[in-house]
Amino acid sequence: STIYSPSCYFSDPFSGFSGLNRFTSNLSNLSTFVTSYKTKLLTFTPSPKDLTVTSRILVKLQLKLPWKPTLNWVWKVTHVIKKNDQGNYQIIEHKEEWEINPNEGIAQCFRPGR
């Protein structure tokens, strides 16, 4: 059993879909566009009452493009947890939010890296 439910719902400011297999495939595809990355955990807030965990992570990615753009912003990730039929707890929702206007995030793709 994995920490994520096979039917977990994943979302970000642009899209949402269900399925752990699709998520791992998307991550694999994304890795071909990233030359380097750094992350820093800023906050980690579990809420046992609501069965959620919220974290804020500073993420910096350099993209594999000739002008080497750098994406740099805080991601807020909320995980919703539920007990499954086997009695194990699994993440059933993975919601990403950006502490930046999504249009500004996309604009960073077109700026030369620093």
Side-chain angles (χ1 to χ4, degrees):
S1 155
T2 67
I3 193 166
Y4 281 95
S5 164
S7 60
C8 184
Y9 182 74
F10 296 87
S11 64
D12 65 26
F14 290 104
S15 68
F17 58 87
S18 293
L20 180 57
N21 288 339
R22 182 172 172 189
F23 181 71
T24 54
S25 176
N26 287 355
L27 284 180
S28 179
N29 292 335
L30 182 62
S31 69
T32 63
F33 295 102
V34 176
T35 57
S36 65
Y37 68 91
K38 291 182 182 179
T39 60
K40 180 180 180 182
L41 181 63
L42 302 175
T43 62
F44 181 83
T45 311
S47 178
K49 178 183 172 195
D50 299 330
L51 288 179
T52 62
V53 175
T54 302
S55 53
R56 291 177 60 250
I57 306 161
L58 177 61
V59 177
K60 186 175 183 178
L61 308 170
Q62 186 174 62
L63 301 184
K64 192 184 290 186
L65 293 169
W67 58 95
K68 298 180 181 175
T70 300
L71 309 182
N72 188 15
W73 62 77
V74 175
W75 292 13
K76 177 181 170 186
V77 182
T78 301
H79 293 103
V80 178
I81 302 162
K82 184 177 179 184
K83 197 177 213 179
N84 65 19
D85 293 338
Q86 292 75 38
N88 300 314
Y89 289 91
Q90 288 187 308
I91 297 169
I92 61 164
E93 184 177 351
H94 172 116
K95 180 181 180 184
E96 297 180 8
E97 299 174 75
W98 301 345
E99 292 185 15
I100 187 174
N101 179 296
N103 292 329
E104 172 58 25
I106 296 300
Q108 288 182 11
C109 294
F110 300 99
R111 294 188 190 126
R114 298 180 191 129

